[in-house]
């Protein structure tokens, strides 16, 4: 699942937000702005001016507000479940009620301090040999601590009907390799703050000031070695660069110092062929195993365990973790209230148990039916767009249409729910519950390795307000949590539904044909299905989008990396187009759609996108995004695609030369 994070649309939440959602929100417009100059400001400026980012958030818009309100709904379910004690063990109510109840028992969590994690730290401290070290790495991975690498289940790139093991680089405390090496002030500052943070965590675990400072320096040195062997964020986006099919024997040869037989046996993974995403990284791991002292390894593992556990321990740990990752790196001023963090934690570890109640209450069958109709229409619009391309040969078109025909669509929630009944959850120890649930999720994932792919599994929980495309399954997935107002409502006008959730649907479909998705065929294989000439033309078209986004600055010296945001930007560009085409088609044969406050249906469609997509993001979070998020910041997701799309300019009668119309020689059209 982790490897598909890059395909997500980062929508995060949307739910009933007070109004019936019949149309666009005219009160949110900034009518002083010119839609042909800055449509981001025009469509959403008044709302942002009147609704500053709350102290607990890194970004804010009407839909983010709705997303937080979504958690109020989860709270109702969780409060009810936790009020009923002594439910049958393993039942959905017992699991989510006791988990949430244990999390909300702040007095007990705080009183325990670092005690819950102490036995694990003692085991690390007792490491006395190479064999002990390797046993500890194996043990930690059973609980989801992916140090210094991770092994998860994934469909085989070359035979995606089959699940294999996937070995990936991991184990860094800073966001990515550039943070360890780059000299720009923001990276240097992050390194300085990180050293202080790591030392503070050691102090909380009982180290003296001097010992903690020394330990932090050792951690930095160790992680810098690992970071030097990892791919950067742009290189990682190329599926070819992480595709290394390997036999078990080759894996053992790649890292001769590590006992993979012991690992596989403990993890109950069959010794079938696997994929190693980053062989250079595994070579570095091997080097560290043979050349780094046991003392330094113990320091590193202690830090990583404290790091991974901090959110589930007492308040000083929670605060210290928040202070570095959210406050210093993300610019967020204040921690979210406890109940909200507990609801998020329940969703993270028991999401399909919590999701049952959520779906029953907040996702009526008519919403599922209406969403399915929209998805069918927008998929058809993608097919018509491909058929109509003047630059693609009939040969490649045929393959592209085959890919359209094999798209798998998931809406709302899984047909078969994950069974958590074997997980031990009690009110006695929140940390214990988290570890038990984590162990279950790791084992559940590994249990699929070596078997045919189960297409019923979901990579997101039902309350999640987000969506994804998975190229290996050629599937688009829309959890119930995103199919909510203001993105989508059975009561909303078509213009608004198509402009908001419709573009999201179009975006996910288009991921099947972005710079990554286009490398996977109709069966989900990482296999070239293009003629050489068509691929050349496609690459020229995508290069236009790279140039466009390279030119978008968040600060005078910091601009987007076009290659990092290419897939998401193709998704938005094509998503707007096919949602618009499907919307136009939906109007045929019906009485003319009404104008609202003088806005034509086309104008409503584009305003809906601006209002859904356009959020205000903290400067620190924008810097994080530009460096590591494949999604552009919201402002450019609004103006980027629309400035390439002639129907937008027509809808607002923009004059030639307007800022919102890119010059003809710079206009990007991919699909
Ligand atoms: Zn996306």
């Amino acid at each position: 699942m982790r490897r598909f994070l890059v395909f997500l649309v980062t929508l995060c939440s949307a739910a009933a937000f007070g109004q019936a959602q019949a149309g666009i929100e005219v009160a949110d417009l900034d009518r002083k702005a010119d839609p042909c100059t800055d449509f981001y400001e025009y469509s959403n400026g008044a709302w942002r001016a009147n609704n500053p980012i709350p102290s607990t958030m890194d970004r804010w818009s009407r839909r983010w507000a709705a997303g937080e309100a979504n958690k109020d709904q989860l709270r109702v379910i969780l409060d009810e479940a936790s009020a009923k004690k002594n439910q049958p063990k393993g039942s959905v109510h017992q699991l989510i009620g006791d988990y949430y109840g244990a999390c909300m028992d702040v007095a007990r969590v705080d009183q325990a301090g670092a005690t819950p994690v102490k036995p694990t730290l003692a085991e690390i401290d007792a490491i006395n040999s190479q064999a002990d070290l390797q046993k500890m790495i194996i043990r930690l991975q059973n609980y989801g601590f992916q140090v210094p690498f991770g092994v998860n289940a994934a469909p085989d790139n070359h035979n995606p009907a089959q699940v294999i093991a996937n070995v990936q680089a991991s184990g860094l405390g800073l966001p990515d390799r550039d943070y360890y090496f780059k000299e720009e002030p923001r990276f240097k500052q992050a390194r300085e703050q990180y050293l202080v943070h790591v030392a503070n965590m050691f102090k909380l675990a009982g180290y003296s000031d001097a010992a903690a400072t020394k330990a932090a320096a050792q951690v930095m040195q160790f992680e810098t070695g690992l970071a030097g062997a990892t791919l950067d964020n742009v290189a990682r986006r190329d599926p070819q660069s992480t595709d290394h099919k390997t036999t078990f024997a080759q894996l053992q040869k790649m890292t001769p110092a590590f006992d993979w037989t012991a690992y596989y046996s403990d993890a109950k993974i069959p010794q079938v062929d696997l994929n190693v995403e980053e062989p250079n990284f595994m070579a570095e791991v091997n080097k560290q195993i043979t050349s780094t002292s046991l003392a330094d390894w113990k320091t590193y593992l202690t830090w990583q365990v404290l790091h991974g556990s901090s959110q589930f321990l007492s308040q000083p740990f929670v605060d210290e973790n928040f202070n570095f990752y959210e406050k210093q790196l993300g610019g967020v001023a204040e921690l979210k209230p406890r109940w909200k963090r507990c609801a998020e934690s329940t969703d993270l570890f028991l999401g399909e148990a919590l999701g049952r109640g959520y779906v029953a209450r907040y996702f009526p069958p008519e919403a599922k039916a209406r969403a399915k109709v929209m998805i069918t229409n927008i998929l058809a619009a993608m097919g018509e767009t491909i058929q109509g391309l003047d630059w693609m040969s009939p040969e490649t078109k045929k393959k592209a249409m085959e890919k359209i025909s094999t798209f798998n669509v998931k809406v709302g929630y899984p047909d078969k729910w994950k069974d958590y009944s074997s997980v031990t959850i009690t009110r006695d120890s929140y940390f214990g519950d988290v570890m038990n649930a984590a162990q279950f999720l790791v084992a559940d994932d590994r249990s699929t390795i070596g078997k045919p792919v189960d297409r019923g599994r979901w990579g997101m929980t039902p309350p999640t307000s987000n969506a994804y495309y998975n190229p290996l399954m050629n599937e688009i997935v829309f959890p119930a949590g995103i199919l909510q107002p203001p993105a989508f409502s059975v009561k909303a006008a078509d213009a608004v539904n198509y402009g908001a959730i419709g573009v999201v649907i179009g975006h996910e479909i288009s991921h099947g044909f972005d710079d990554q998705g286009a490398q996977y065929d109709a069966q989900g294989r990482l296999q070239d299905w293009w003629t050489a000439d068509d691929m050349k033309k496609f690459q020229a078209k995508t290069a236009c989008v790279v140039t466009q986004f390279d030119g978008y600055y968040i600060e005078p010296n910091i601009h987007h990396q076009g290659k990092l945001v290419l897939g998401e930007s193709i998704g938005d560009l094509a998503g707007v187009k096919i949602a618009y085409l499907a919307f136009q088609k939906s109007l045929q044969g019906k009485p003319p759609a009404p104008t609202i406050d003088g806005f034509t249906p086309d104008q409503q469609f584009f305003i809906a996108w601006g209002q859904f997509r356009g959020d205000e993001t903290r400067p620190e979070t924008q810097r994080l995004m530009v460096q590591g998020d494949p999604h552009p910041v919201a402002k450019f997701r609004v103006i980027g695609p629309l400035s390439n799309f002639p129907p937008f300019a027509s809808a607002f009668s923009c004059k030639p030369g307007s800022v919102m119309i890119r010059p003809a020689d710079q206009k990007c059209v991919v699909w």
Side-chain angles (χ1 to χ4, degrees):
M1 182 175 114
R2 173 173 289 225
R3 66 193 305 212
F4 300 123
L5 289 179
V6 292
F7 294 93
L8 308 187
V9 68
T10 36
L11 294 171
C12 273
S13 284
F17 192 63
Q19 71 283 332
Q21 285 298 331
I24 53 170
E25 300 291 337
V26 289
D28 293 354
L29 299 170
D30 176 359
R31 292 179 190 264
K32 292 192 294 303
D34 177 358
C36 298
T37 302
D38 184 353
F39 191 68
Y40 167 69
E41 178 59 28
Y42 178 79
S43 60
N44 207 22
W47 194 91
R48 285 182 289 111
N50 293 325
N51 296 276
I53 306 174
S55 58
T56 57
M57 297 294 291
D58 62 1
R59 65 196 86 182
W60 201 234
S61 64
R62 192 183 280 281
R63 63 161 287 276
W64 285 101
E68 291 306 291
N70 196 7
K71 288 162 198 168
D72 291 327
Q73 298 177 323
L74 296 181
R75 187 186 194 179
V76 172
I77 295 167
L78 289 165
D79 277 343
E80 277 177 24
S82 67
K84 291 183 211 146
K85 291 179 183 158
N86 304 316
Q87 294 289 305
K89 190 176 175 312
S91 65
V92 165
H93 278 100
Q94 183 270 320
L95 291 165
I96 64 172
D98 286 349
Y99 185 95
Y100 183 73
C103 180
M104 288 300 287
D105 190 350
V106 189
R108 193 193 285 247
V109 172
D110 282 350
Q111 215 229 329
T115 309
V117 78
K118 283 275 166 76
T120 309
L121 299 186
E123 280 180 56
I124 293 172
D125 200 42
I127 292 173
N128 203 18
S129 65
Q130 269 290 326
D132 288 351
L133 169 64
Q134 299 201 16
K135 259 186 227 153
M136 197 66 215
I137 290 174
I138 294 170
R139 215 172 122 56
L140 290 175
Q141 297 213 357
N142 288 342
Y143 291 93
F145 296 100
Q146 299 200 331
V147 286
F149 56 85
V151 179
N152 63 334
D156 182 349
N157 276 330
H158 305 280
N159 175 19
Q162 197 68 20
V163 179
I164 59 172
N166 182 61
V167 180
Q168 55 188 204
S170 178
L172 301 181
L174 284 167
D176 64 70
R177 65 164 284 143
D178 287 348
Y179 279 85
Y180 293 86
F181 299 108
K182 287 206 164 166
E183 286 302 317
E184 285 101 310
R186 66 187 197 275
F187 297 110
K188 275 172 106 165
Q189 186 190 28
R191 284 197 288 279
E192 282 158 24
Q193 292 169 333
Y194 183 59
L195 275 172
V196 175
H197 167 60
V198 177
N200 285 344
M201 292 288 278
F202 276 109
K203 284 183 218 169
L204 289 175
Y207 282 51
S208 70
D209 285 7
T213 305
K214 193 173 158 218
Q218 281 166 346
V219 166
M220 182 64 104
Q221 193 189 4
F222 187 92
E223 290 189 358
T224 303
L226 292 179
T230 61
L231 296 174
D232 68 24
N233 291 324
V234 170
R236 270 194 66 76
R237 282 199 68 254
D238 177 3
Q240 305 289 348
S241 71
T242 53
D243 174 43
H244 305 98
K245 185 95 174 260
T246 304
T247 64
F248 180 80
Q250 283 167 332
L251 173 68
Q252 188 60 73
K253 225 183 212 170
M254 200 181 283
T255 41
F258 192 76
D259 184 355
W260 284 103
T261 302
Y263 187 106
Y264 267 54
S265 148
D266 191 84
K268 299 188 181 66
I269 302 174
Q271 293 183 7
V272 292
D273 290 358
L274 64 142
N275 183 55
V276 176
E277 288 192 1
E278 301 187 38
N280 287 344
F281 179 82
M282 294 311 290
E284 175 65 22
V285 168
N286 192 71
K287 197 181 120 202
Q288 300 265 16
I289 288 174
T290 52
S291 65
T292 300
S293 70
L294 285 182
D296 283 2
W297 266 103
K298 283 152 77 161
T299 304
Y300 167 71
L301 293 179
T302 300
W303 149 245
Q304 284 289 342
V305 167
L306 289 170
H307 170 55
S309 308
S310 58
Q311 293 179 66
F312 316 112
L313 295 171
S314 58
Q315 200 61 38
F317 284 96
V318 174
D319 287 341
E320 180 55 42
N321 184 68
F322 169 82
N323 185 57
F324 177 65
Y325 287 102
E326 291 188 60
K327 196 174 200 170
Q328 292 178 336
L329 288 185
V332 179
E334 231 186 325
L335 197 60
K336 285 183 182 178
R338 177 104 196 157
W339 72 262
K340 202 175 270 188
R341 285 180 282 124
C342 288
E344 289 170 352
S345 178
T346 314
D347 183 47
L348 186 64
F349 286 100
L350 297 168
E352 288 191 22
L354 177 57
R356 291 197 198 194
Y358 176 80
V359 163
R361 287 186 204 209
Y362 304 112
F363 191 59
E366 57 267 34
K368 182 165 176 161
R370 176 103 182 251
K372 279 188 151 173
V373 170
M374 286 183 70
I375 294 166
T376 304
N377 292 348
I378 297 168
L379 204 47
M382 187 71 191
E384 283 164 29
T385 298
I386 290 168
Q387 300 278 26
L389 294 175
D390 58 7
W391 56 271
M392 187 182 269
S393 69
E395 221 177 321
T396 309
K397 273 186 190 174
K398 197 172 153 234
K399 300 277 188 186
M401 291 309 292
E402 194 189 330
K403 182 159 179 171
I404 289 278
S405 74
T406 62
F407 257 76
N408 188 35
V409 178
K410 291 177 175 169
V411 178
Y413 50 90
D415 291 335
K416 185 170 169 268
W417 296 99
K418 199 184 283 295
D419 176 10
Y420 301 90
S421 60
S422 64
V423 186
T424 300
I425 301 290
T426 72
R427 305 234 173 180
D428 300 340
S429 166
Y430 176 46
F431 187 80
D433 290 345
V434 170
M435 290 302 118
N436 289 344
Q439 192 178 17
F440 167 80
L441 290 176
V442 170
D444 180 60
D445 179 60
R446 287 170 171 173
S447 73
T448 64
I449 295 172
K451 295 179 186 159
V453 75
D454 174 0
R455 295 188 75 93
R457 289 172 78 94
W458 280 53
M460 281 183 183
T461 67
T464 307
S465 194
N466 208 334
Y468 67 92
Y469 171 72
N470 178 342
L472 289 156
M473 315 260 271
N474 196 28
E475 68 176 10
I476 42 176
V477 185
F478 303 94
I482 186 60
L483 298 166
Q484 305 284 338
F488 169 76
S489 163
V490 287
K491 293 181 196 149
D494 272 341
V496 176
N497 272 342
Y498 275 98
I501 195 72
V503 179
V504 174
I505 293 167
H507 171 107
E508 297 304 337
I509 292 169
S510 303
H511 272 318
F513 300 93
D514 71 15
D515 61 316
Q516 295 175 318
Q519 299 184 49
Y520 295 83
D521 70 8
Q523 281 72 45
R525 289 173 299 199
L526 182 57
Q527 191 158 294
D528 192 3
W529 46 273
W530 296 66
T531 66
D533 189 45
D534 287 336
M535 182 45 89
K536 222 196 261 165
K537 288 177 186 155
F538 176 70
Q539 284 168 345
K541 288 173 179 297
T542 64
C544 174
V545 180
V546 171
T547 306
Q548 180 184 4
F549 280 81
D550 274 341
Y552 286 144
Y553 281 74
I554 58 159
E555 286 170 36
N557 294 316
I558 307 179
H559 63 87
H560 266 298
Q561 305 178 70
K563 281 187 177 162
L564 180 64
V565 298
L566 178 57
E568 297 302 330
S569 302
I570 295 171
D572 286 340
L573 182 58
V576 166
K577 178 176 178 176
I578 60 177
Y580 177 79
L581 293 176
F583 169 55
Q584 294 299 312
K585 208 160 190 188
S586 78
L587 300 174
Q588 288 169 11
K590 288 186 191 162
T595 58
I596 297 177
D597 282 278
F599 291 105
T600 66
D602 273 18
Q603 289 174 331
Q604 292 167 44
F605 172 91
F606 293 115
I607 289 171
W609 173 242
Q611 296 191 335
F612 174 75
R613 185 72 279 166
D615 60 51
E616 190 73 39
T617 306
R618 292 186 186 279
E620 294 87 347
T621 297
Q622 290 194 28
R623 282 177 216 138
L624 280 179
M625 291 176 74
V626 162
Q627 166 62 20
D629 194 330
H631 301 87
V633 299
K635 176 181 180 176
F636 301 121
R637 296 189 68 178
V638 174
I639 66 175
L642 298 186
S643 62
N644 283 315
F645 193 48
F648 167 79
S650 306
F652 289 91
S653 307
C654 298
K655 294 196 181 69
S658 298
V659 178
M660 284 296 301
I661 304 178
R662 283 177 70 78
D665 61 342
Q666 293 172 27
K667 205 179 279 295
C668 304
V669 183
V670 177
W671 292 100

